[in-house]
Amino acid sequence: MTLRKFAGLGALLSIVMPSLAMAADEVAAPVLNSGDTAWMLTSTALVLFMTIPGLALFYGGMVRSKNILSVMMQCFAITGLISILWVIYGYSIAFDTTGMEQGVVNFNSFFGGMGKAFLAGVTPSSLTGPAALFPEAVFITFQMTFAIITPALIVGAFAERMKFSAMLIFMAIWFTLVYAPIAHMVWSGNGGLMWDWGVLDFAGGTVVHINAGVAGLIACLVLGKRKGFPTTPMAPHNLGYTLMGAAMLWVGWFGFNAGSAAAANGTAGMAMLVTQIATAAAALGWMFAEWVTHGKPSALGIASGVVAGLVAITPAAGTVGPMGALVIGLAAGVVCFFCATTLKRKLGYDDSLDAFGVHGIGGILGAILTGVFAAPALGGFGTVTDIGAQVWIQVKGVGFTVIYTAIVTFIILKVLDAVMGLRVTEEEESVGLDLAQHNERGYNL
């Protein structure tokens, strides 16, 4: 009887266990979360809104009237160009993890594989995210908007003097050799160079802002100063556009930062709060620094302070608390003000619209301070227990990004200059790029 009972139990288990296993598989299967999906769709639209029309208006208002269309045209053309390159190979370079292994440095620590080229294998049912809860197609588009705005930011450094054709080719090569690899090193996961270092970059302090700011500095140095700079007045022609653009950037940045939580959760909520706090603090910090230094606060100053705060809080948005955000914002407003005015005048470089002074310096400051204020001991929500060690990791990440971006950007520009020339002629610069490059005027009186 005992043997028969065991035999019967065995038969029963042979029937039940596969069913239980199948049920467990069904439970474990990833299921799309409509709330997360809705938030990521919204965030994606907000980040695209930052470039067109936000950045286009912000930059467009700061140039002279004869160059407004050229700047806006560059923003729109970059949006189209990078969208296509992202689909063909950019997404794969940035996020394909083939050949990567945690703690192992190899080619794929720097450069992703081609397994996702032309978005191979992506279907409407492909899911991704922290718990595979929203469509991969949404993640691809979300990250595409980051890839779009980063090269567009560089435009501010060489505005009013670069040939449109040279700009397009430069952006395509720069995106391929600089943006996508840096994104891969920081965000691709285990095996990525800076990921394994432990660099904290929640939404793009290194990937977007330091990257673009340093590239902008190199570009303005290679191209040289605008004709008449700094003796000829080159005042912004429409600060109303600039303020509207800054407002659009402020609103869109909630998608940039809170969207980087990749879910509609508490991290996204805190990222939204600290973004608002840091931006407000930086706007006031720049305004009062300018007021004390120059005697009057300016509209251009407060708009620039807004962007400086948005930039500085970007790497920290997922790990710092409200008071940390307040300090980061105030520091960014004051430091970026002096770098975009006093430092630029002393060094004499012609960063037309302060791409380096705001994005480069703001990104560096924010990245380093992330290592401080991500610590729970200072009100942060990160896992930092040794502030000094984390700050060193952040400095190392900043240093690598600065050196890599500077060297590769310089080589790209020098080769292009030798092959096709980077700069418009003096006559075209005097006429303005709107007419010289596009045969149009922004204003027909």
Side-chain angles (χ1 to χ4, degrees):
M1 290 293 294
T2 303
L3 291 174
R4 287 180 181 177
K5 284 182 180 179
F6 277 116
L9 180 60
L12 179 62
L13 289 174
S14 68
I15 296 172
V16 173
M17 290 305 290
S19 300
L20 291 174
M22 291 176 62
D25 287 342
E26 290 177 3
V27 172
V31 178
L32 183 142
N33 183 297
S34 59
D36 290 346
T37 302
W39 172 235
M40 294 308 297
L41 286 165
T42 302
S43 295
T44 300
L46 285 170
V47 181
L48 181 60
F49 184 72
M50 290 168 62
T51 304
I52 49 173
L55 187 67
L57 280 169
F58 182 73
Y59 278 171
M62 284 197 280
V63 297
R64 290 168 286 181
S65 60
K66 61 184 179 181
N67 292 311
I68 180 175
L69 292 182
S70 71
V71 170
M72 290 186 164
M73 177 69 172
Q74 287 168 3
C75 289
F76 272 80
I78 288 168
T79 300
L81 174 67
I82 301 304
S83 295
I84 300 306
L85 295 182
W86 184 253
V87 167
I88 295 172
Y89 60 81
Y91 175 65
S92 195
I93 292 174
F95 290 102
D96 187 357
T97 58
T98 303
M100 294 171 63
E101 184 180 346
Q102 187 172 14
V104 176
V105 177
N106 54 28
F107 178 77
N108 294 118
S109 300
F110 301 85
F111 208 86
M114 286 291 113
K116 289 287 187 178
F118 296 95
L119 304 188
V122 177
T123 69
S125 59
S126 302
L127 300 180
T128 189
L133 296 179
F134 62 92
E136 186 178 7
V138 177
F139 178 73
I140 292 168
T141 316
F142 179 67
Q143 287 295 336
M144 178 194 292
T145 60
F146 281 64
I148 287 168
I149 197 169
T150 306
L153 293 172
I154 304 172
V155 167
F158 58 69
E160 303 192 306
R161 59 199 188 276
M162 192 172 190
K163 293 194 296 188
F164 184 71
S165 56
M167 184 279 302
L168 281 176
I169 296 173
F170 166 69
M171 292 303 181
I173 299 172
W174 188 87
F175 163 77
T176 306
L177 299 181
V178 181
Y179 177 81
I182 291 291
H184 179 78
M185 289 182 238
V186 175
W187 285 339
S188 61
N190 292 335
L193 182 71
M194 285 187 270
W195 177 282
D196 280 1
W197 287 354
V199 172
L200 298 176
D201 186 0
F202 186 70
T206 49
V207 177
V208 176
H209 299 293
I210 298 173
N211 214 0
V214 171
L217 177 63
I218 300 300
C220 76
L221 291 173
V222 171
L223 267 80
K225 301 172 185 177
R226 287 169 291 177
K227 182 181 177 182
F229 181 89
T231 55
T232 302
M234 298 181 181
H237 88 282
N238 193 326
L239 283 176
Y241 285 172
T242 297
L243 285 169
M244 285 190 288
M248 292 172 183
L249 286 167
W250 193 335
V251 173
W253 223 286
F254 291 121
F256 201 79
N257 285 357
S260 291
N265 59 16
T267 301
M270 183 56 69
M272 175 173 280
L273 174 60
V274 298
T275 297
Q276 180 68 14
I277 293 169
T279 307
L284 295 177
W286 187 304
M287 182 185 77
F288 284 114
E290 183 179 42
W291 204 339
V292 170
T293 305
H294 297 156
K296 292 181 181 179
S298 71
L300 177 59
I302 199 167
S304 300
V306 162
V307 177
L310 291 165
V311 168
I313 196 60
T314 292
T319 52
V320 304
M323 295 304 101
L326 181 63
V327 175
I328 290 173
L330 282 172
V334 174
V335 171
C336 289
F337 164 71
F338 284 107
C339 288
T341 54
T342 306
L343 180 65
K344 185 169 77 168
R345 281 197 302 270
K346 285 186 176 180
L347 297 181
Y349 61 89
D350 185 13
D351 178 2
S352 307
L353 310 180
D354 295 316
F356 176 70
V358 173
H359 295 277
I361 297 298
I364 290 169
L365 180 69
I368 294 172
L369 290 181
T370 298
V372 177
F373 292 105
L378 294 177
F381 301 100
T383 57
V384 177
T385 55
D386 187 333
I387 293 175
Q390 187 62 47
V391 168
W392 168 241
I393 291 170
Q394 298 299 106
V395 169
K396 189 164 65 168
V398 167
F400 180 89
T401 304
V402 169
I403 293 169
Y404 178 87
T405 301
I407 292 173
V408 179
T409 301
F410 179 79
I411 293 171
I412 295 169
L413 288 168
K414 294 301 286 186
V415 170
L416 284 179
D417 195 25
V419 171
M420 63 184 297
L422 294 172
R423 188 163 177 159
V424 299
T425 65
E426 284 194 12
E427 181 181 355
E428 289 174 322
E429 192 174 340
S430 296
V431 169
L433 272 61
D434 290 359
L435 274 175
Q437 295 287 293
H438 307 294
N439 199 32
E440 296 174 300
R441 293 181 186 271
Y443 305 96
N444 293 296
L445 301 178

